[in-house]
Amino acid sequence: MDQVQRIYAALTGALFTPLFESLYGEGETVRTVMLAIVFFIAMDWLSGTRASKRDNTYASKYGLDGVFRTFFIALLPAGGHLLDMALSLPSILFGLLSFGVLYHVLQSMTANSIRAGWGEWVPEWILNKITEWVKSELEAKLSRAEGRKEQKRLEGKADDKDLGA
């Protein structure tokens, strides 16, 4: 049984890793940004569920719509990456869409947390500061990553010229 589970895990990784990288791109920055998006989507769902239970607005229909909406939102950065590839851009659209999704999810999570009554434990001004910090930090990191990718691309073109391509 243990052997079957290991084989299943290996096959799952062999299938999903190339699919993930073809949709979103390669590299630590891409994995980290997408992990952050997934993490904060989970936090948004948790806080949203608690907020709707607290104010008696919870409805399973809205929850099901949320699954489709979340799937759509999670695919936006993939669309940005695919457009970057088609237009030979250094992950600019991926970065813009990822940042937009992350910023929106952080705002939603913050609003849901306050609505759920958790502002008592984490004051609203701290949640707002965190949102602002994440925004500026993400912009700086994406800017550095884009600069490194552009430099690598330019170095690759210089190598092509040296080879007579």
Side-chain angles (χ1 to χ4, degrees):
M1 185 66 175
D2 191 40
Q3 183 76 10
V4 172
Q5 289 176 341
R6 281 191 227 155
I7 291 171
Y8 179 72
L11 289 174
T12 302
L15 174 68
F16 286 111
T17 299
L19 178 64
F20 176 86
E21 288 182 349
S22 67
L23 282 175
Y24 294 101
E26 300 176 12
E28 186 178 339
T29 301
V30 171
R31 285 189 298 275
T32 304
V33 167
M34 292 311 300
L35 182 60
I37 289 172
V38 168
F39 175 81
F40 285 109
I41 284 174
M43 297 289 285
D44 185 35
W45 276 27
L46 177 67
S47 60
T49 300
R50 295 313 310 156
S52 64
K53 293 264 187 184
R54 183 174 189 227
D55 61 17
N56 294 320
T57 59
Y58 183 81
S60 60
K61 180 194 179 309
Y62 184 75
L64 290 174
D65 288 343
V67 170
F68 291 105
R69 183 181 60 254
T70 300
F71 188 67
F72 177 84
I73 288 170
L75 286 174
L76 285 173
H81 170 70
L82 295 173
L83 287 173
D84 283 332
M85 298 301 296
L87 300 172
S88 298
L89 297 173
S91 297
I92 292 171
L93 297 174
F94 170 81
L96 287 172
L97 289 171
S98 296
F99 167 74
V101 165
L102 189 55
Y103 186 70
H104 167 76
V105 171
L106 282 168
Q107 285 182 320
S108 177
M109 179 198 72
T110 301
N112 284 335
S113 297
I114 292 166
R115 208 173 109 226
W118 299 343
E120 299 168 13
W121 295 290
V122 182
E124 185 176 349
W125 68 271
I126 290 177
L127 293 173
N128 290 334
K129 286 284 187 187
I130 290 170
T131 302
E132 284 302 312
W133 175 79
V134 168
K135 174 185 167 188
S136 62
E137 186 68 17
L138 186 57
E139 285 174 345
K141 286 184 179 195
L142 288 174
S143 177
R144 283 193 304 269
E146 295 310 318
R148 286 192 300 262
K149 285 184 180 183
E150 181 65 16
Q151 183 179 7
K152 283 183 179 181
R153 189 180 68 78
L154 292 174
E155 288 171 0
K157 283 187 176 183
D159 291 342
D160 290 344
K161 287 180 183 176
D162 291 342
L163 296 173

